[in-house]
Amino acid sequence: MKKLLQEYENKQPEIVFHWKDRETEAEGWTVINSLRGGAAGGGTRMRKGLDKNEVLSLAKTMEIKFSVCGPPIGGAKSGINFDPADPRKQGVLKRWFQAVSPLLKNYYGTGGDMNVDQRTEVIPITQTYGVTHPQEGVFQGHFNTDEHEKNIRINQLKQGVSKQVDTSIFLPNAEQSYTVGDLITGYGVAEAVKHYYGIYGGELAGKKAIVQGFGNVGGAAAFYLAAMGVKIVGIIDRTGGIIEPEGISFERLKELYATREGNALKAEDMLSFEAVNEQIWNVGAQIFAPCAASRLVTQKQVEQMIAGGLEVITSGANVPFADEAIFFGPIMEYTDKHVSIIPDFISNCGMARVFAYLMQPEAKIEDEAIFNDVSQTIKQALQDVYSKNNNPIHLSQTAFEIALEKLI
C-alpha cells in the first residue's frame, strides 16, 4: 500500500490554476489532480492561512472518494486564502468564480465547502457568469450528454440538493427546515458507524461518542448517532464544548443543534475551549467523530482516547490527523494499528454520492431514496474492505489499497 500511495502522492496534478485578487490580498488555487473520465470534481473552501498544498491534498482525496461513490472522474479542489469573516468576502467570491467559470463550463464541477455555502453563494454567483450549475463541467466533460438531457439532470441536481427534508426520521427538529445538503454528510458519518458494527460485529446502542466540531456535519452526525442509541459524552467546538460522561440527553442534543449560533455550538454551560480540550480526550468513548477542520487530531489525543476504550473513528473532516503527509502519515498509521479508522473518503462521501446519484437518468428525488442510496454506498465500501481484511485494525490501509488499485 505504501508504494502505491507514494506513487499516487508524488504524481503531479494535471492542472493547477493560480489566482490573485486584484482588489484584496486574497489568493486562490484550483487543483485538478486528473481529468480521469474527462472531468474532475471537488468543492470550494475559504479560510485564512490556506495554501496550495492543502488544496492539492484535498484534490487527491476527492479522486479517491470518487472511486467509492462515483462517478469515475478525477479529483479536484478549490481553495481561497482569505478570512471568511471579512466583509469583502462576497466580492472576493464573485471575482474568483468569474475567473474559474471557463473550467466550470467545460470539465470541472464544484460545490460548497468550508466557509463557502453551496445554496447561497456557489450556485447564485456561478449562474451570474453563465454556469448553468456548478456541476455543469462534469456533465460536459464526463457524461457528454446532449443539451436536453444535460438540462434534465442539472434540474435533478438543483431539486435534490436543495430539497427540503420532510421525512420525520431524518429531521433533527420538526420546527426547523433542513435541506438534503444540510444533513447528508453528517448522516453518512453516522451511518458509517452503524455499518461498521453491523459488518465487523458489536452492539452500537449504548456506545459512547466524542464529536469534534458542531457545524452542519458534526451536528448532524451527533444527532443521527444519538438517534441510534449512541451516548454523546463530549462535544468540542472551536469556541468551547460540553462534557457529560453519562451522555447528553437526546432532547438536549436536538436543542443544541437547533440553537447553534451560525454553525457553532452555543450553550450557557459551555466549557471554554481550553478547558474542554484538556478534559475531553480522557472522558472515555468507543466512537470518535472528527468533523471540524483538517489536520487537527494529534498523536497525544489519539493515545488518550485509545486508553479510554476507543474502538472506531468515523471522519466528517477530510484528512483529520495532524500529519504533514498528504494521506497516511505517522499519526494515522499509528492509529490504524490500534483501532478502526473508517477513512474520510468513505465516511464523509455523502454529498459527493448525492451528486453522483442525482446525475443518473431519472433519479428519484425523495428523502428516503437519497438517504438510503448514501447509506448503501457506504455499506458496500465497508463490505469490500471487510472482504479483503476482516480484522478491525488496518482498516484504512486496506481501504486505500482498494482505492489506489483502481486509480493507478
Side-chain angles (χ1 to χ4, degrees):
M1 188 278 294
K2 285 188 175 180
K3 185 177 179 182
L4 282 172
L5 195 58
Q6 186 176 30
E7 182 180 347
Y8 182 70
E9 288 183 356
N10 290 340
K11 186 177 180 182
Q12 292 297 305
E14 282 192 32
I15 298 169
V16 177
F17 176 86
H18 183 204
W19 169 85
K20 288 191 175 183
D21 189 22
R22 63 179 178 270
E23 296 186 24
T24 70
E25 67 276 18
E27 185 175 16
W29 298 266
T30 292
V31 176
I32 294 176
N33 189 55
S34 82
L35 288 172
R36 173 178 176 245
T44 299
R45 65 170 46 190
M46 176 186 284
R47 75 171 185 85
K48 190 174 181 180
L50 174 146
D51 62 18
K52 185 179 80 171
N53 285 337
E54 179 178 333
V55 184
L56 172 62
S57 69
L58 292 168
K60 288 184 177 291
T61 298
M62 284 304 304
E63 189 147 329
I64 293 177
K65 188 176 292 186
F66 288 130
S67 77
V68 171
C69 68
I73 59 174
K77 206 73 175 180
S78 290
I80 304 168
N81 177 13
F82 192 71
D83 183 355
D86 191 302
R88 300 172 294 172
K89 176 188 178 184
Q90 289 302 306
V92 169
L93 283 176
K94 286 177 182 178
R95 292 185 293 277
W96 165 261
F97 282 120
Q98 182 180 29
V100 298
S101 60
L103 283 64
L104 293 169
K105 288 286 291 181
N106 290 287
Y107 52 76
Y108 170 44
T110 195
D113 200 286
M114 183 186 296
N115 301 316
V116 179
D117 187 78
Q118 166 88 359
R119 182 173 55 86
T120 63
E121 293 174 324
V122 180
I123 290 176
I125 294 174
T126 54
Q127 283 179 341
T128 64
Y129 298 113
V131 179
T132 310
H133 187 274
Q135 294 291 321
E136 182 179 356
V138 176
F139 286 102
Q140 190 70 26
H142 174 67
F143 290 105
N144 198 25
T145 54
D146 61 38
E147 199 67 21
H148 176 69
E149 182 64 21
K150 180 176 78 171
N151 289 336
I152 290 173
R153 296 202 212 174
I154 284 177
N155 194 46
Q156 287 179 177
L157 269 174
K158 289 178 178 177
Q159 290 180 39
V161 175
S162 61
K163 183 188 182 304
Q164 296 291 319
V165 177
D166 49 29
T167 305
S168 60
I169 60 170
F170 301 125
L171 279 173
N173 188 316
E175 305 301 317
Q176 292 184 310
S177 62
Y178 301 90
T179 67
V180 168
D182 292 333
L183 300 174
I184 200 69
T185 304
Y187 171 78
V189 170
E191 286 292 290
V193 176
K194 182 183 81 174
H195 292 312
Y196 166 80
Y197 282 109
I199 293 168
Y200 283 86
E203 184 64 38
L204 177 59
K207 300 283 188 187
K208 295 182 176 182
I210 296 168
V211 178
Q212 182 184 45
F214 206 65
N216 277 350
V217 178
F223 163 73
Y224 290 117
L225 285 169
M228 297 171 189
V230 174
K231 297 178 180 179
I232 308 299
V233 295
I235 300 169
I236 179 169
D237 205 19
R238 59 182 177 270
T239 58
I242 295 171
I243 295 175
E244 290 193 17
E246 298 308 311
I248 302 168
S249 73
F250 188 43
E251 288 307 314
R252 186 175 188 223
L253 189 70
K254 290 196 291 183
E255 182 184 351
L256 289 169
Y257 188 42
T259 58
R260 290 174 304 160
E261 196 168 71
N263 254 0
L265 179 68
K266 181 185 178 184
E268 289 184 3
D269 60 343
M270 269 176 62
L271 299 169
S272 68
F273 178 82
E274 292 73 20
V276 74
N277 194 43
E278 180 70 26
Q279 300 173 44
I280 197 168
W281 314 110
N282 292 308
V283 73
Q286 292 78 45
I287 300 163
F288 174 47
C291 300
S294 301
R295 303 187 187 278
L296 293 181
V297 183
T298 67
Q299 177 92 13
K300 182 181 178 182
Q301 291 165 354
V302 169
E303 291 171 354
Q304 289 172 299
M305 287 189 287
I306 290 172
L310 183 65
E311 295 174 353
V312 60
I313 296 174
T314 180
S315 185
N318 287 318
V319 197
F321 299 100
D323 286 316
E324 291 185 8
I326 290 179
F327 295 118
F328 214 83
I331 301 173
M332 185 173 184
E333 184 172 5
Y334 169 86
T335 310
D336 199 40
K337 290 177 180 176
H338 290 83
V339 299
S340 295
I341 308 174
I342 303 171
D344 50 21
F345 57 86
I346 293 176
S347 58
N348 71 22
C349 75
M351 195 69 250
R353 178 56 204 170
V354 168
F355 284 150
Y357 171 80
L358 294 170
M359 287 176 180
Q360 299 175 116
E362 300 179 0
K364 286 186 179 179
I365 306 174
E366 300 170 358
D367 296 347
E368 191 169 359
I370 294 170
F371 280 72
N372 286 347
D373 178 78
V374 167
S375 178
Q376 289 305 306
T377 298
I378 291 170
K379 181 180 181 180
Q380 185 59 59
L382 286 173
Q383 190 65 60
D384 291 344
V385 174
Y386 181 82
S387 297
K388 190 166 184 176
N389 171 24
N390 60 13
N391 192 320
I393 62 170
H394 300 303
L395 191 157
S396 269
Q397 178 177 316
T398 307
F400 269 109
E401 287 173 0
I402 292 169
L404 292 169
E405 284 169 0
K406 294 178 184 178
L407 299 176
I408 297 178

